[in-house]
């Protein structure tokens, strides 16, 4: 019985921490977070970016970059500039531990993504967006969503 309870508890915790968004669910959260049109970027841009950066997986952690920084979470936020992973120098522009960007609550991830896009390079900060979304017809990324 105790083992069963522990197993259930573990599954609950695991389920709580590992969230892979669906396209429309993410679009809806981003809209609530004020991302639609933020600095001129549409929901489609944000959804397309998140897909190509993390496949919508809130737990995604990138392999170490050449300079030993890493990218965290659904928006693959970089530890050199935006969050602290306690493994080297960081500017910590979003003033967060990187672990804040690998849980299933993306509220703070959204706040940080907004901070990132306010920098001059805008969404070019995300290579996935630059290579796979920029300048393309992105209407499929919110098609069929009830927004
Ligand atoms: C480290 O590499 C990442 C990814 O390539 C990049 O975003 C970041 O700006 C780099 N940091 C430095 C200090 O060069
Ligand atoms: C984008 O693609 C959709 C569907 O493929 C189409 O309906 C729409 O007109 C396109 N938009 C532009 C600006 O080309
Ligand atoms: Ca978070």
């Amino acid at each position: 019985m105790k083992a069963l309870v522990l197993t259930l508890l573990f599954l609950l915790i695991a389920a709580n921490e590992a969230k892979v968004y669906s396209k429309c669910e993410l679009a809806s959260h981003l809209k609530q977070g004020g991302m639609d049109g933020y600095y001129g970027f549409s929901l489609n841009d944000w959804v397309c970016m998140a897909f190509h950066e993390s496949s919508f997986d809130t737990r995604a952690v990138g392999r170490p970059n050449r300079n030993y920084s890493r990218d965290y979470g659904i928006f693959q936020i970089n530890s050199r500039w935006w969050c602290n992973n306690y493994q080297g120098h960081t500017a910590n522009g979003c003033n967060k531990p990187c672990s804040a960007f690998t849980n299933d609550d993306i509220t703070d991830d959204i706040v940080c993504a907004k901070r990132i896009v306010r920098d001059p390079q805008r969404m070019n900060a995300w290579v996935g967006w630059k290579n796979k979304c920029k300048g393309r017809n992105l209407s499929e990324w919110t098609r069929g969503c009830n927004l």
Side-chain angles (χ1 to χ4, degrees):
M1 187 58 193
K2 197 171 178 187
L4 181 64
V5 170
L6 283 175
T7 305
L8 287 174
L9 194 66
F10 176 79
L11 287 174
L12 201 68
I13 289 167
N16 209 20
E17 289 182 344
K19 183 168 174 68
V20 178
Y21 274 81
S22 73
K23 174 185 93 165
C24 291
E25 193 184 6
L26 179 63
S28 164
H29 273 260
L30 294 174
K31 188 174 183 187
Q32 280 167 30
M35 298 292 259
D36 193 6
Y38 194 76
Y39 269 74
F41 295 99
S42 67
L43 281 184
N44 288 323
D45 284 299
W46 295 107
V47 174
C48 181
M49 177 274 274
F51 178 78
H52 287 106
E53 292 287 344
S54 68
S55 304
F56 301 145
D57 185 351
T58 58
R59 276 199 316 183
V61 178
R63 300 215 323 275
N65 300 311
R66 241 177 317 181
N67 58 29
Y68 303 110
S69 68
R70 283 189 170 210
D71 300 327
Y72 293 85
I74 196 161
F75 303 135
Q76 290 289 282
I77 293 172
N78 183 261
S79 64
R80 170 62 184 81
W81 299 110
W82 304 111
C83 63
N84 193 355
N85 66 0
Y86 306 98
Q87 290 170 31
H89 186 69
T90 177
N92 198 1
C94 291
N95 201 16
K96 288 276 180 186
C98 296
S99 56
F101 302 136
T102 53
N103 56 24
D104 68 351
D105 178 1
I106 64 168
T107 312
D108 47 4
D109 306 54
I110 289 176
V111 169
C112 188
K114 284 178 158 176
R115 171 63 192 86
I116 293 171
V117 82
R118 291 200 294 271
D119 261 10
Q121 56 176 345
R122 305 288 180 236
M123 283 194 79
N124 294 307
W126 287 282
V127 175
W129 177 82
K130 192 175 163 187
N131 292 343
K132 300 283 172 57
C133 311
K134 186 179 185 176
R136 301 192 188 196
N137 181 342
L138 302 177
S139 63
E140 64 171 298
W141 291 106
T142 50
R143 188 183 303 144
C145 299
N146 213 337
L147 294 165

